[in-house]
Amino acid sequence: MKRIYMDHAATTQVDQEVMEVMLPYFTTYYGNASSFHSYGREAHDAMEDARKKVAELIGAESDEIIFTAGGTEADNIAIKGVAYKKEKGTIITSSIEHPAVLETCRALEREGFNVTYLPVDRFGMVQPPDVESAKKDETIIISIMHANNEIGTVQPIKEIAKIASENGIPFHADAVQSAGKVSIDVKRMNIDLLSLSSHKIYGPKGVGALYIKKGVKINPIIHGGGHERGLRSSTENIPGIVGFGKACELAKKRMDTDVPYLIKLRDKLINNTLDKIEESYLNGHSTKRLPNNAHFRFTAIEGESLIMSLDDKGIAASTGSACSSKKLEPSHVLMAIGLNEVEAHGSLRLTLGRENTDEELEYVLEALPEVVERLREISPLWKKDLEIEKWRKEMEKR
Amino acid sequence: MKRIYMDHAATTQVDQEVMEVMLPYFTTYYGNASSFHSYGREAHDAMEDARKKVAELIGAESDEIIFTAGGTEADNIAIKGVAYKKEKGTIITSSIEHPAVLETCRALEREGFNVTYLPVDRFGMVQPPDVESAKKDETIIISIMHANNEIGTVQPIKEIAKIASENGIPFHADAVQSAGKVSIDVKRMNIDLLSLSSHKIYGPKGVGALYIKKGVKINPIIHGGGHERGLRSSTENIPGIVGFGKACELAKKRMDTDVPYLIKLRDKLINNTLDKIEESYLNGHSTKRLPNNAHFRFTAIEGESLIMSLDDKGIAASTGSACSSKKLEPSHVLMAIGLNEVEAHGSLRLTLGRENTDEELEYVLEALPEVVERLREISPLWKKDLEIEKWRKEMEKR
Amino acid sequence: MYSEKVIELFRNPRNMGEIENRDGVGTVGNPICGDLMTIYIKVDGDRLKDVKFKTFGCAAAIATSSMITELAKGKTIEEALQITRDDVAEELDGLPPIKMHCSNLAADGLHAAIEDYKRKKE
Amino acid sequence: MYSEKVIELFRNPRNMGEIENRDGVGTVGNPICGDLMTIYIKVDGDRLKDVKFKTFGCAAAIATSSMITELAKGKTIEEALQITRDDVAEELDGLPPIKMHCSNLAADGLHAAIEDYKRKKE
Ligand SMILES: Cc1ncc(COP(=O)(O)O)c(C=O)c1O
Ligand SMILES: Cc1ncc(COP(=O)(O)O)c(C=O)c1O
C-alpha cells in the first residue's frame, strides 16, 4: 500500500542532501572533535561549519549556538539554566507550551520557583498585555513558544520579547516547530534564548540547538568534559550535527518556495475538509498559523480510532485525544483554547511536508470523509440516538 | 598519507554492519516512536529490539534500559537521579572518574551534597577496603568506573558492588570504556546503575544508555513528553538507537575473538615500546587493564607535541598533558596515581581497535621511537643540559 | 501495541448498530474519558437472541464492544452475566495495559443492558 | 587550531640546539605547566650573531621558540629587546587564545638571555 505521511509536526524524513553530507562522518571522518589529531580536526571543523549554518537560519552568531540532543534538552537548558543561575524567582510561560517547557516549569515549581501560566484565547494566542501585567520584579525568564506544535498558532513573540527586553527579563522562544517555516531573526526580534530541533526540519533525530545571546548567563544541567563551552558536555554527535547544519542551510534556502507551496496545500486541505464534512471545525488561528498545519475536530468521533482508520488507508496523522496519550488526558492545548473533553477527543492533526503532493492531498480528501462517516455510524454520540443526547447536553453546558 | 587510528578510547568508527541496519531509519522508517500510525510502530519496534540487544550485552532485562544521548548523560542521570530522589546525603566515588562523573559530583557538592573522592594506588586501583571504611549511614550512592578511560585500569567493581549491596547502597558503574571489552553481568555483579556509550563500541555518536535495576528509583533531569518512562524525555533518536543496538549485539558476538586479538596487539605494543625507548614507562596496571589500552610516559618530552608529531606521521593518539586540555591542567588521573606534573605532561595513550592490524602496529613501533628521540633532542630537560637539572630535581622531590 | 484480533475487529466490527425493538439497552463509559458504549439486547426466553453495539472511543473500545456482542449472542442471561472484562481482553489476545481499565467496558455495558431488561420485565 | 606557520615551524624548527660558547642563556617557563624554554645567544659587537633554543613543551612553545630565534638573529641588542610576545604571535599568524599566555614565552626567554649576557659583561 502506498503510504502518505502527513505527520511532519511529529518528525520528518531526513533529506537526501542531508544524508549525503552526513554519511562520511560515521565511517571516514569519525574522529572525536576534542582530539588533537587530524581525525579530531576534521570533526571539529565540520562541527563549526554546521554551527555557522544553524546560526544563519536564525540570524545569530556562531558562538551563540550550542548543540544539544534535541528540542527538549534545549528547552530544559534554557529555562533551568536561567533558573539555576538566578536561584529563585518567577517564570512566565503559556498554558499551551510543549511538555518540554511545561514539565520543566512544573519541575522548577517543585523546587520552589514560581510559575505563571498565561491563558490563551480560543485561537491559541497569548495576549501581549497579559505578559505585561504578569511580569513582576521577581520574573527571571519569559518563555513563549514561537508556534504551537498541535494547533499551529504562531505567537506574537516579537511583541512579547519587546516587553521582556524593556523590563530586562530574558526571553526564551521554543522555535522547534516554526524554524524553517516562519522567518526568525533573533536580533531583530530581541530573543535571548531560542530552541531548535533537527528532526523537525528534515535533519536527523537526536540533535538540536540552543541559541544563547551573548551576555546571557546560564548554568549547565549536564556536567562533564566541558564541551559546548561547559554548557553541554558529551562527545559531540558529529554526523548528527553536520546533518542538522545542512538541514538548516536547506531550510533557509528553500523557505521561499516551501512556504507558499505548503500554504497552498494546507488551505486546500482545510477548505475542502470543512466543506465536505459536516460538523467539522478548524482549531487554531485562521491566518496566524504554521504553513503546514491543519487541525480539525469532528463531532461525535474519537481521535485514536480516527487516526487508526486513516492509518489503515495509508495516511499517517495525529490527534490530541486522550486515548492516544500516555497519560490518558486530552491535549492540554485543546483544553486551553476552551474545547471540552469530547471535542478534544475528536481532533485530528494533519501536518504537511515539502514532499507531499497535490495527488496525495486528493487521496486524503477522499479518504477522510469516508473514515469520519464510518466512525460516526458506529458512534452513539452521532445524531439519531436520543438516549445519548443527555451526554451531549451535559458536555455542552461545560 | 595512510592514517592509523589508535585513539579508540576517544571514539570509534561506525561498523559497516551497524551502518547498514541504521540507514533505513533516516529516510524510510523515519517515524516518531510515539506516533500511533505505521511509521510510529516501525520506529517503536526497532527501538524495543535495540533495547533488548543493549540489555543482552550486560545481562539486564529490556525494561531496565533507558536510552540517553551518550555516556555523559547516562552518568548524570544515574548520579543526580539518585541524589535528587534522596534530596541529601553523601556520594562515594573515586578520584579517577571521567569528568562526566567527577563534574556531576562537584555540581552536587555545590548544591549541598557531600562527596568522598577515594584515592587510588599507583596502578589506578580503588581499594575495596577504602570503600568499606568510607561508607556511612548517609551514603546514598557509590559510583566507581569499571575501567578508566586514560590508563585503562579495570576496577574490582564486583567486590565494591558487593559492599554497596550489603549496605543497601545503590552502586553505579561507568562502563563506557569497558563495555564490549570486559564482560559485564549486572545481575551477577550486583550493579544497580550502569552507563554505556555507543560511540565507544563502533556505534554512532550521540547515543548511550543507562541500566537502572528494577526497583531503583531516580528522578529525571530532563523533563518533557515523558519518553523512556519519564526518565529521559525527547523524541527518540531511532537511527542512533538502532545503530547502538546493533553495535551491542556485535560487541557481544565478537568479544571472544576481539579481546584476545587486542591483548596480543597491546602487549606487543607495550613490550616493544618499553624495550626500544629508554626512560619509557607504562602507566596503569600491568594485567588488570583494558585489552586495548597502552599508556606510556616518556621522560623530558611533552605530550601535545608528541601526539602532533605522531599525527604528522599519520598516527592518531592521545595524551594527558595539560597542553592538550581546555583547562591547561594535567590529567587528574595521572596526578591521582602519583605522577608529578612533568611526568604527566610526557604521557601518551594509544588505544587499539578491532580494525588495527599488525602491520599498523609495526609502523607505529618504527615511528614512535623516532618521534620521541627528535623531541628529546629539542628538549632542555633531556640529559646533557645541566643548567636544567635543578628543575628535574625539584620535580622529583614532589 | 494492539493485537491482530483487536485491529481486525476494529476494522470490521461485528454486530454494529442499534436493535430497533430491543428488550434492553445499557450505556457505560464517559465521553469525557473518550469512551462511551451502548449495548442493545434482544431476548428470546432466557437467551440473548441478538446483541448489538454503538461505541464512541478508541480502537480498543470498538473492538471490545464488538467482541462482547459475539461472546454474548446465543448465551442465556445467566451465562452472559458471567462474562467478565478479563474474558473480553483474553478473547482479544490481550489489551495494552493502559487500555485495560478505560476502554474495556463492554462487559459492563452488557450487564447494564441485562439489568435494563430485567427492570423493564418487572 | 594552529596556523599553518605554527605547524610548519613545529615540524621544522629553525635554530634548534645549544650554542657551545654562548654569551648568554635564558630559561623561562615551568615544566609543571608543560613549557620550558632555553634561549642561547652569541653576541658580536652589539649584534646577536646567533640565537638558538631548546624547548620542552607543546607545538606552540616549539614554534614560538623557533620564531624568536629567527626574529632576533642579526638584530642589535636594543632591537631584540623591543620584540614582544605579540610580535611573535603575529609573525606566526596568531596563536590559539588559550596558548597566548602559557606557551608564548619565547620573547621573555630572549630577554632573559640578553639580561644574562649583560650581567656577565658587567
Ligand atoms: C514545540 C516543540 N518543542 C519541543 C519539542 C521537543 O523536541 P525534541 O523531540 O527534539 O526533543 C517538540 C517536538 O517534539 C515541539 O514540537
Ligand atoms: C569512562 C567514560 N565515561 C563517560 C564518557 C562520556 O561519554 P560520552 O562522550 O558518550 O558522553 C566517556 C567518554 O567520553 C568515558 O570514557
Side-chain angles (χ1 to χ4, degrees):
Chain A
M1 183 173 61
K2 189 175 157 7
R3 298 200 294 178
I4 295 172
Y5 189 77
M6 290 206 177
D7 199 11
H8 290 81
T11 193
T12 58
Q13 186 176 23
V14 177
D15 187 280
Q16 214 40 61
E17 286 189 49
V18 168
M19 279 310 285
E20 270 159 41
V21 300
M22 244 169 92
L23 280 181
Y25 291 89
F26 288 108
T27 48
T28 309
Y29 310 120
Y30 56 85
N32 183 319
S34 304
S35 296
F36 250 73
H37 43 66
S38 63
Y39 294 85
R41 286 192 301 273
E42 288 157 2
H44 181 267
D45 292 351
M47 174 167 77
E48 294 313 313
D49 182 56
R51 201 185 300 278
K52 195 156 157 275
K53 288 174 174 153
V54 175
E56 279 168 1
L57 178 64
I58 58 168
E61 303 291 323
S62 284
D63 59 1
E64 296 175 315
I65 301 294
I66 64 162
F67 288 111
T68 69
T72 301
E73 200 189 17
D75 285 341
N76 274 260
I77 298 177
I79 300 173
K80 291 179 189 159
V82 168
Y84 293 155
K85 180 58 110 194
K86 301 276 171 83
E87 290 178 347
K88 60 183 185 2
T90 300
I91 297 158
I92 297 176
T93 188
S94 86
S95 47
I96 62 161
E97 297 297 308
H98 187 272
V101 168
L102 277 185
E103 294 301 322
T104 295
C105 288
R106 292 210 182 102
L108 290 170
E109 273 186 295
R110 289 190 293 272
E111 294 175 31
F113 291 87
N114 297 314
V115 182
T116 307
Y117 301 93
L118 297 176
V120 292
D121 68 15
R122 65 199 179 94
F123 305 112
M125 295 286 268
V126 175
Q127 306 301 313
D130 286 351
V131 180
E132 184 70 49
S133 54
K135 67 151 220 291
K136 299 189 224 120
D137 285 351
E138 318 87 76
T139 305
I140 52 173
I141 185 169
I142 299 175
S143 177
I144 303 290
M145 71 200 314
H146 193 194
N148 183 268
N149 47 305
E150 296 190 33
I151 56 175
T153 304
V154 179
Q155 303 295 343
I157 59 167
K158 201 175 162 185
E159 275 105 301
I160 299 170
K162 190 158 170 276
I163 297 170
S165 131
E166 283 168 0
N167 290 278
I169 304 165
F171 177 72
H172 167 248
D174 176 337
V176 167
Q177 289 291 340
S178 59
K181 298 183 199 86
V182 184
S183 78
I184 299 174
D185 184 323
V186 288
K187 302 294 162 194
R188 257 197 17 241
M189 293 163 97
N190 259 313
I191 297 171
D192 299 292
L193 298 141
L194 183 126
S195 304
L196 298 171
S197 181
S198 160
H199 72 99
K200 308 283 188 187
I201 58 165
Y202 309 95
K205 293 178 175 60
V207 201
L210 179 64
Y211 154 78
I212 309 167
K213 185 178 171 171
K214 235 163 268 168
V216 172
K217 295 270 177 293
I218 65 172
N219 276 6
I221 55 175
I222 302 277
H223 295 85
H227 309 77
E228 300 292 301
R229 293 187 280 130
L231 292 173
R232 205 279 180 172
S233 293
S234 189
T235 303
E236 297 93 343
N237 173 3
I238 302 299
I241 286 170
V242 165
F244 181 27
K246 185 69 184 182
C248 288
E249 181 189 295
L250 292 176
K252 191 176 153 89
K253 199 172 84 183
R254 294 179 181 171
M255 214 155 119
D256 285 350
T257 46
D258 277 0
V259 169
Y261 177 72
L262 289 170
I263 289 180
K264 212 186 77 201
L265 285 190
R266 176 197 72 185
D267 289 348
K268 179 171 171 179
L269 175 59
I270 292 176
N271 295 333
N272 279 273
T273 301
L274 297 181
D275 256 20
K276 283 188 177 186
I277 303 181
E278 67 174 312
E279 292 204 34
S280 63
Y281 308 91
L282 181 71
N283 294 321
H285 200 281
S286 57
T287 55
K288 290 187 178 108
R289 76 184 300 134
L290 286 173
N292 72 329
N293 176 294
H295 198 287
F296 303 105
R297 65 178 194 278
F298 305 106
T299 304
I301 61 176
E302 187 280 325
E304 192 218 283
S305 53
L306 177 57
I307 60 173
M308 290 265 306
S309 303
L310 288 172
D311 189 40
D312 273 348
K313 293 186 180 281
I315 300 165
S318 159
T319 176
S321 168
C323 303
S324 74
S325 90
K326 284 167 205 149
K327 294 192 286 174
L328 294 183
E329 272 169 31
S331 148
H332 67 286
V333 177
L334 301 182
M335 300 309 286
I337 60 171
L339 300 191
N340 66 41
E341 283 89 347
V342 188
E343 288 168 329
H345 290 309
S347 69
L348 173 70
R349 182 184 73 180
L350 292 164
T351 42
L352 303 160
R354 89 168 50 121
E355 82 281 9
N356 286 136
T357 61
D358 193 63
E359 205 190 314
E360 288 179 340
L361 197 68
E362 292 289 347
Y363 177 83
V364 171
L365 288 170
E366 283 291 303
L368 183 56
E370 286 168 26
V371 163
V372 170
E373 196 186 357
R374 171 180 170 256
L375 290 173
R376 281 176 172 172
E377 255 170 45
I378 308 185
S379 173
L381 292 174
W382 183 240
K383 297 209 160 155
K384 335 178 246 310
D385 209 328
L386 287 168
E387 283 163 57
I388 301 303
E389 271 300 308
K390 61 169 198 258
W391 284 111
R392 306 188 62 191
K393 290 269 163 56
E394 233 170 70
M395 288 307 99
E396 269 150 24
K397 266 186 273 159
R398 304 176 104 243
Chain B
M1 186 173 58
K2 188 173 156 11
R3 297 200 295 179
I4 296 172
Y5 189 76
M6 289 205 178
D7 198 10
H8 290 81
T11 194
T12 58
Q13 187 176 22
V14 178
D15 186 278
Q16 214 41 60
E17 286 189 48
V18 169
M19 279 310 284
E20 269 159 41
V21 300
M22 244 170 91
L23 280 181
Y25 290 90
F26 288 109
T27 48
T28 308
Y29 311 119
Y30 56 85
N32 184 318
S34 303
S35 296
F36 249 74
H37 44 65
S38 62
Y39 294 86
R41 285 192 302 274
E42 289 157 1
H44 181 267
D45 293 351
M47 174 167 77
E48 293 314 312
D49 182 57
R51 201 185 302 278
K52 196 157 156 277
K53 289 175 173 152
V54 174
E56 280 167 2
L57 178 64
I58 57 169
E61 302 289 323
S62 284
D63 58 1
E64 296 176 313
I65 301 294
I66 64 164
F67 288 110
T68 69
T72 300
E73 200 190 15
D75 285 340
N76 274 260
I77 297 178
I79 300 173
K80 290 180 189 158
V82 168
Y84 293 156
K85 179 58 110 194
K86 302 277 171 81
E87 290 178 347
K88 60 184 186 354
T90 300
I91 297 158
I92 297 177
T93 189
S94 86
S95 48
I96 62 161
E97 297 297 309
H98 188 272
V101 167
L102 276 185
E103 293 301 323
T104 295
C105 288
R106 293 211 181 102
L108 289 170
E109 273 186 294
R110 288 190 293 271
E111 294 176 30
F113 292 87
N114 296 313
V115 183
T116 307
Y117 301 92
L118 297 177
V120 291
D121 68 14
R122 65 199 177 95
F123 306 111
M125 295 285 269
V126 175
Q127 306 301 314
D130 286 352
V131 179
E132 185 70 49
S133 54
K135 67 151 217 293
K136 297 188 227 130
D137 285 350
E138 319 87 78
T139 306
I140 51 172
I141 186 169
I142 299 176
S143 177
I144 303 290
M145 70 200 316
H146 192 193
N148 184 267
N149 48 303
E150 294 189 34
I151 56 176
T153 303
V154 178
Q155 302 295 341
I157 59 165
K158 201 175 161 186
E159 276 103 302
I160 299 170
K162 189 158 169 277
I163 298 170
S165 132
E166 283 168 359
N167 290 279
I169 303 166
F171 177 72
H172 168 249
D174 176 338
V176 167
Q177 289 292 340
S178 58
K181 297 182 200 87
V182 185
S183 79
I184 299 174
D185 184 323
V186 288
K187 302 294 162 193
R188 258 196 17 241
M189 294 164 97
N190 260 315
I191 297 171
D192 298 292
L193 298 141
L194 183 128
S195 305
L196 298 171
S197 182
S198 159
H199 72 99
K200 309 283 189 188
I201 57 165
Y202 309 95
K205 293 179 175 60
V207 201
L210 179 64
Y211 154 78
I212 309 168
K213 185 179 171 170
K214 235 162 268 166
V216 172
K217 296 269 178 294
I218 64 171
N219 277 3
I221 54 175
I222 302 276
H223 294 85
H227 308 77
E228 300 293 300
R229 295 186 280 132
L231 292 174
R232 205 278 180 172
S233 294
S234 189
T235 303
E236 297 92 343
N237 173 2
I238 301 298
I241 286 170
V242 165
F244 181 27
K246 185 71 185 179
C248 287
E249 182 190 297
L250 292 175
K252 189 176 154 87
K253 199 173 82 184
R254 295 180 180 169
M255 214 156 121
D256 285 349
T257 45
D258 277 0
V259 168
Y261 177 71
L262 289 170
I263 289 180
K264 212 185 75 201
L265 284 189
R266 177 198 71 185
D267 289 348
K268 178 170 173 179
L269 176 58
I270 292 175
N271 296 334
N272 279 274
T273 301
L274 297 181
D275 256 20
K276 283 189 176 187
I277 302 181
E278 68 174 312
E279 292 205 32
S280 63
Y281 308 91
L282 181 71
N283 295 320
H285 200 281
S286 58
T287 55
K288 290 187 179 110
R289 76 184 301 133
L290 286 173
N292 71 330
N293 176 295
H295 198 286
F296 303 104
R297 64 177 196 276
F298 305 106
T299 304
I301 61 177
E302 187 280 325
E304 192 218 282
S305 54
L306 178 56
I307 60 173
M308 292 263 308
S309 302
L310 289 172
D311 189 42
D312 273 348
K313 294 189 179 277
I315 300 165
S318 159
T319 175
S321 168
C323 304
S324 74
S325 90
K326 284 167 204 147
K327 294 191 287 175
L328 294 183
E329 273 169 30
S331 150
H332 67 286
V333 177
L334 301 181
M335 301 309 286
I337 60 172
L339 301 191
N340 66 40
E341 283 89 347
V342 187
E343 288 167 331
H345 291 308
S347 70
L348 173 70
R349 183 185 72 181
L350 292 164
T351 43
L352 303 160
R354 81 164 62 115
E355 82 280 9
N356 286 136
T357 61
D358 192 62
E359 204 190 316
E360 287 179 341
L361 196 67
E362 291 290 347
Y363 177 83
V364 172
L365 288 170
E366 282 292 302
L368 183 56
E370 287 168 26
V371 163
V372 170
E373 196 187 355
R374 172 181 169 254
L375 290 173
R376 281 176 172 171
E377 256 170 46
I378 307 185
S379 173
L381 292 174
W382 184 240
K383 301 212 159 152
K384 336 179 246 303
D385 210 329
L386 287 168
E387 283 165 58
I388 300 303
E389 271 300 308
K390 60 167 197 260
W391 283 112
R392 304 188 64 195
K393 289 269 164 55
E394 230 170 75
M395 286 309 101
E396 270 149 24
K397 266 183 276 159
R398 305 176 102 244
Chain C
M1 52 174 271
Y2 288 130
S3 70
E4 284 300 316
K5 268 205 196 150
V6 170
I7 291 171
E8 164 53 21
L9 279 188
F10 164 66
R11 283 185 188 147
N12 303 301
R14 323 283 196 259
N15 307 312
M16 196 279 289
E18 297 169 45
I19 300 176
E20 289 298 325
N21 53 344
R22 59 217 171 212
D23 297 315
V25 60
T27 295
V28 291
N30 185 336
I32 290 179
C33 307
D35 287 302
L36 190 75
M37 293 174 192
T38 306
I39 306 286
Y40 306 89
I41 54 173
K42 180 84 201 154
V43 184
D44 187 10
D46 68 342
R47 252 173 224 286
L48 297 177
K49 202 179 131 197
D50 200 6
V51 186
K52 289 198 165 185
F53 79 94
K54 277 210 158 185
T55 291
F56 162 86
C58 64
I62 290 173
T64 52
S65 309
S66 172
M67 180 52 79
I68 199 78
T69 63
E70 287 191 282
L71 288 177
K73 220 165 152 177
K75 287 217 165 48
T76 66
I77 283 174
E78 275 322 297
E79 286 165 352
L81 284 171
Q82 308 289 313
I83 305 172
T84 64
R85 287 184 177 204
D86 284 351
D87 295 335
V88 176
E90 209 171 285
E91 282 292 326
L92 289 166
D93 296 341
L95 283 172
I98 197 171
K99 298 283 185 181
M100 277 304 278
H101 293 288
C102 63
S103 312
N104 190 5
L105 301 169
D108 304 359
L110 176 67
H111 299 172
I114 293 175
E115 289 311 311
D116 181 49
Y117 160 73
K118 285 184 174 169
R119 218 171 330 147
K120 280 183 188 149
K121 231 181 57 175
E122 272 158 16
Chain D
M1 54 174 270
Y2 288 129
S3 70
E4 284 300 315
K5 268 205 193 150
V6 170
I7 291 171
E8 164 53 22
L9 279 189
F10 164 66
R11 284 187 186 145
N12 303 302
R14 323 279 197 263
N15 307 311
M16 198 278 290
E18 298 170 43
I19 300 175
E20 288 296 326
N21 54 346
R22 56 212 173 214
D23 297 315
V25 60
T27 294
V28 290
N30 186 336
I32 290 181
C33 309
D35 287 302
L36 190 76
M37 294 174 190
T38 307
I39 305 285
Y40 305 89
I41 56 174
K42 180 86 201 152
V43 184
D44 187 9
D46 69 342
R47 254 175 223 283
L48 297 177
K49 201 180 134 202
D50 200 6
V51 186
K52 289 197 166 187
F53 78 95
K54 277 211 161 186
T55 291
F56 161 87
C58 64
I62 292 172
T64 52
S65 309
S66 172
M67 180 52 80
I68 199 78
T69 62
E70 288 190 280
L71 288 177
K73 219 164 151 174
K75 287 218 166 51
T76 66
I77 283 173
E78 273 323 295
E79 286 163 352
L81 284 171
Q82 309 289 313
I83 305 173
T84 64
R85 288 185 177 203
D86 284 350
D87 295 335
V88 176
E90 209 171 286
E91 282 293 326
L92 289 165
D93 294 342
L95 282 171
I98 197 172
K99 299 282 185 181
M100 276 303 276
H101 293 288
C102 63
S103 312
N104 190 7
L105 302 169
D108 303 358
L110 175 67
H111 300 173
I114 293 173
E115 287 313 310
D116 181 51
Y117 160 73
K118 285 184 174 166
R119 218 170 332 148
K120 282 183 188 147
K121 234 181 52 174
E122 270 159 20

